[in-house]
Structures are given as C-alpha cells and as structure tokens.
Amino acid sequence: MRLHRNLVYTTIDSLNAIFNEGEYADKVVARALKKDKRWGSSDRKFVAETIYEVVRWKRLYAEIAEVKEPFDRDNLWRMFSVWAVLRGYPIPDWRQLEGTPERKIKGRFDELSKVRALKESIPDWMDEMGVKELGEKVWATEIAAQNQPAKVVLRVNTLKTTKENLRAILMDLNIETDTLKNQPDALVLKERANVFMTDVFKQGFFEVQDANSQLVAAFLDVKPGMRIVDTCAGAGGKTLHIAALMENKGQLIAMDLYESKLKQLKIRAKRDGAFNIEYRIIDTTKVIKKLHQKADRVLIDAPCSGLGVLKRNPDAKWKLRPEFIDNIRKIQSEVLESYSKIVKPGGKLVYATCSVLPSENQEQVERFLTTDIGKEFTFIKDQKILASESGFDGFYMALLERKEEVAKPPKEIKEAKA
C-alpha cells in the first residue's frame, strides 16, 4: 500500500477546485476520473474516495493540521498528510510531505474527537440545529451515520427488464448485488463499481437511485392510466420511477423551474423507454393554474436543506448556511400551498424532502393543514426515515388526500330554508 504521485496530485488539484473555487464535489470527481485513460479501476477508486474523504472530514483535518481557510496548496498538502497518516499510509519521501508529524497527528485526532462538531466534522451551527430539532441522542447517531459513504443502489427499470434478469446480467459482469426486503425494484451493489459504463445502463435497464428515494413514488399510490404531476421533477429520478409504476399508461406531467433539468430528464426518459411524460417549465403562475384540480396524484419533492443526504453530498456541509435553511422553509410552505391546488377532489398528494429536520417535514405538513387550501385535505400517513436507522439516505414523506367536494344543496332547499 503506497501513494502514487500522479493520483495524489490529481487529488490536491480537485480539493483546490472544491474548497477554493466553489465547485461541486461530484462534478470535480467526474472530471478527475477522466484525466488519465491509463488509470485502472483501483486508481480511479483511490482518487474518488480520497477526494470525498477529505471533503467529508474537512473541518477535523484542518484542525489537526492547524490550517485555516482559504487553503493554499501547502495547506491542502498538510490536510492530505493527515488523511494519509490516519489511513495508515507510509509517508513517501516527497518535498510536499517533508516533516509530516505522524505522532502529533494521531494525538490531535484523539484529543479533538472528544468534541462532536469536530469529531463529525460539521459547522457548529449545524450541530446546534441538529440537537435542537432531533435531540442530543438521535442527532449524535444520525450525523455519525451521515458521515458513512453512501452505498450504490440501483432501481430496476421494470419497463425494460426484471430484477432477476438484471441481477444475472450484472453477475456475468462480476458485479454482485443484494436485494432489499420490501423494496421490489432495488439492488444494492456489494462493492462499488462504475455501473454507468455498462451496456445495460446505456440500454436503460436501471437507474442509480438511493433505496429510500425509491420509496417515494410507491408512497404516492400510483396506478396505470392516472394523470400524475411531478411538480419539482428536476432531472427526474422519481419521475422515471413513477412512469415505470404507471407502466407507461396514463399521463405524467414533469414540471420544474429549470429547463436544463428537464432536458436531462428527456435524455434519461428516452433511454429508459418512458414515453408517457410531458414536460412543462414553471415560468409563470399560469402553468400551475391551468392544472388546478386536474390531477389524480401530485408529488411535491420539495426543495430542502439536503440534511438527509450528506453521505452522498459531503460538500453540502460546507456550502449550507443557516439563512438558506430559513429561506427554504418559506419556499416549502409556498410550494405546498400553491402546488396542492393541482390535486383534484378525491386525489392524493405526497410532500417529500431529503431532510431529517422536523421543521422542514412534519411541521410543514401540520402548518399546511391549517391553511385555507390545507383544510381541504386529510392527513393519511407519513414516514420519517433516518440514515442511522435505515443505512441509506434520510427522507420524509407525507400522504394527504383531497376531500371530495361537498354537494351543494338544490336551489329549492335553500329557498325552503329561507
């Protein structure tokens, strides 16, 4: 086990782009993996995992290395040296790593790990918010779980294949998978693999989608032939799942504020063979008004803090701000009141987030039910999913049903009463 200079240099360049240039970790990693075609799978695995590890533990490593932002290249090398020592790598005789204090690094790690915000490498405000909303015990276990790397989960595209068939094809490619109880379309990779390079992915046999994210479409109680609206479709992971559950029968309207996201969804839908999807950009309020009381089912996968998906987006820990979360709560309230009007009487609505904060979840639903439009809905059930309990992403989903319209009394009855 030794460090290779070209891989480490790529890692340092990538960390500079993420920490100092504001780029998103997933985009930076994707670019880094294309840097050298000669790299094998183990080389690419080292680059991707090391970048994500240093991003995940940024605060802790910076404290141990005694460096502060903005990080110059010497600072980044010092943080990398902390990672290498704690992972048990022999420190090579390179100029950038001269004088690495291995014993001091291990000692400071033990000392700083006594403070949760440092041990779990999160901002103080995030730790305080987590304790306030979930309580000390739950938050401690949840943030620890959120610091574990995310598993790779596939969702079988039932428009094109079966779970059994896909498992067999992947097995032939030396990609082993496990099934999940009560998750009919989910396959979990036993070891990470670049599944996007496989022919079966290019043929649309599966999508990569977290196991708990796959619960949302099923929660919507979808049936073939319905008219369904996904109001915050984005690039369409849940939209495509809904299309599969509809068996391509009925009308599925995918909406979003951003045309670029819907373009990505169109590409994915074509690959997946999902052809019952219509695309609408929410560029005016008229787009929503035209659909008032028209849909059997509405999904509001609301914008949120993302505090349920830190394990797959560790850089969000450093990009999030308390004021952003305050603002997103207001947007969630507005979206819920506005988009709920699309549900027809007797139809159902799912409000979902990838957050674990009650203020973004059940408290939003409780507040909504007191509004004028909310009073037209009945709460059916909800599901609060913590990463610490499930092993996958944190999610929340609530199912509401719009009450059937109360029949108005005939004119003669009204007159008789008068």
Side-chain angles (χ1 to χ4, degrees):
M1 185 171 76
R2 65 190 185 90
L3 297 171
H4 298 275
R5 200 183 292 262
N6 61 337
L7 302 180
V8 176
Y9 274 44
T10 299
T11 300
I12 297 294
D13 289 342
S14 300
L15 292 171
N16 183 60
I18 295 165
F19 293 152
N20 296 327
E21 294 167 17
E23 293 192 51
Y24 286 93
D26 57 343
K27 301 284 193 300
V28 172
V29 169
R31 186 171 71 227
L33 296 182
K34 295 174 184 172
K35 187 171 179 182
D36 194 330
K37 291 179 180 177
R38 296 169 299 176
W39 287 349
S41 59
S42 60
D43 297 327
R44 288 193 294 272
K45 182 180 179 184
F46 174 89
V47 169
E49 291 185 358
T50 307
I51 293 170
Y52 274 121
E53 282 285 285
V54 179
V55 170
R56 182 172 283 114
W57 303 107
K58 180 182 89 164
R59 183 179 184 187
L60 177 61
Y61 289 177
E63 291 278 353
I64 293 172
E66 299 177 310
V67 298
K68 296 189 183 301
E69 293 186 83
F71 304 126
D72 60 25
R73 292 189 77 82
D74 285 343
N75 293 159
L76 294 173
W77 276 102
R78 290 183 70 174
M79 289 169 69
F80 174 80
S81 72
V82 172
W83 173 88
V85 169
L86 295 177
R87 290 293 176 276
Y89 279 88
I91 300 300
D93 185 20
W94 300 349
R95 177 185 59 80
Q96 296 93 337
L97 297 175
E98 278 178 8
T100 296
E102 296 187 43
R103 286 182 63 186
K104 184 180 178 183
I105 286 171
K106 291 173 182 175
R108 280 186 63 76
F109 173 78
D110 291 340
E111 176 194 341
L112 295 172
S113 293
K114 294 170 185 174
V115 180
R116 185 179 53 237
L118 295 176
K119 177 188 175 186
E120 302 299 350
S121 196
I122 52 175
D124 289 335
W125 69 263
M126 189 179 289
D127 191 47
E128 290 161 9
M129 182 179 288
V131 170
K132 181 182 175 184
E133 296 227 8
L134 294 172
E136 189 88 31
K137 187 177 178 183
V138 174
W139 173 247
T141 55
E142 182 62 14
I143 192 58
Q146 291 279 3
N147 272 325
Q148 299 304 309
K151 295 171 186 173
V152 179
V153 186
L154 312 183
R155 179 182 58 76
V156 180
N157 178 16
T158 53
L159 294 174
K160 289 201 168 182
T161 189
T162 63
K163 183 161 65 176
E164 293 71 27
N165 185 46
L166 180 60
R167 280 194 90 189
I169 294 170
L170 293 172
M171 182 68 80
D172 288 341
L173 298 172
N174 294 318
I175 299 174
E176 293 186 60
T177 58
D178 288 322
T179 57
L180 287 176
K181 190 179 178 183
N182 302 322
Q183 291 269 61
D185 303 329
L187 290 175
V188 185
L189 267 58
K190 289 188 178 182
E191 290 185 12
R192 297 186 76 86
N194 190 355
V195 291
F196 297 113
M197 297 301 290
T198 61
D199 286 338
V200 274
F201 173 73
K202 293 168 185 173
Q203 291 163 12
F205 279 31
F206 66 86
E207 291 286 339
V208 174
Q209 185 179 7
D210 179 76
N212 290 335
S213 176
Q214 293 185 38
L215 296 172
V216 178
F219 205 71
L220 194 55
D221 189 24
V222 171
K223 305 254 185 333
M226 286 182 167
R227 173 184 265 193
I228 299 176
V229 180
D230 185 350
T231 59
C232 308
K238 298 178 185 72
T239 315
L240 294 170
H241 193 186
I242 292 170
L245 293 173
M246 294 175 77
E247 300 170 10
N248 265 333
K249 298 168 187 171
Q251 182 187 31
L252 175 52
I253 300 172
M255 310 177 77
D256 203 87
L257 295 170
Y258 303 103
E259 186 177 9
S260 59
K261 291 185 178 181
L262 292 180
K263 283 181 178 177
Q264 291 176 50
L265 172 52
K266 284 182 185 179
I267 294 167
R268 295 173 72 185
K270 184 177 180 182
R271 185 181 65 230
D272 284 12
F275 51 74
N276 68 330
I277 305 174
E278 292 181 23
Y279 307 89
R280 299 188 192 178
I281 303 161
I282 307 172
D283 49 7
T284 68
T285 54
K286 289 180 184 176
V287 177
I288 304 297
K289 285 178 181 175
K290 282 181 182 176
L291 288 169
H292 279 186
Q293 298 195 34
K294 298 282 179 62
D296 298 292
R297 300 286 185 270
V298 170
L299 172 61
I300 302 176
D301 185 18
C304 70
S305 65
L307 283 176
V309 293
L310 293 178
K311 58 169 61 202
R312 69 182 63 257
N313 296 316
D315 52 332
K317 294 196 286 188
W318 317 119
K319 295 184 187 303
L320 273 176
R321 295 288 182 271
E323 53 272 23
F324 173 86
I325 298 180
D326 289 338
N327 188 51
I328 213 73
R329 291 190 193 104
K330 293 173 189 168
I331 292 171
Q332 288 164 349
S333 297
E334 291 164 5
V335 162
L336 194 43
E337 285 190 53
S338 175
Y339 297 173
S340 60
K341 293 171 184 174
I342 297 172
V343 185
K344 71 181 188 183
K348 293 178 181 176
L349 159 74
V350 164
Y351 170 80
T353 77
C354 53
S355 173
V356 295
L357 298 181
S359 61
E360 296 184 75
N361 297 333
Q362 52 267 45
E363 290 175 22
Q364 285 287 11
V365 173
E366 288 164 8
R367 188 211 59 79
F368 167 71
L369 292 170
T370 66
T371 64
D372 288 342
I373 179 65
K375 288 173 184 174
E376 296 181 22
F377 285 81
T378 302
F379 174 83
I380 298 176
K381 61 181 178 178
D382 67 357
Q383 197 169 350
K384 313 171 193 75
I385 307 171
L386 296 174
S388 52
E389 293 173 351
S390 68
F392 299 100
D393 288 346
F395 264 89
Y396 175 80
M397 55 200 87
L399 180 66
L400 310 175
E401 184 171 25
R402 193 164 192 177
K403 298 168 185 173
E404 296 282 1
E405 287 181 308
V406 179
K408 292 178 182 176
K411 187 178 178 184
E412 59 270 21
I413 295 177
K414 285 186 186 176
E415 289 171 351
K417 285 183 177 178

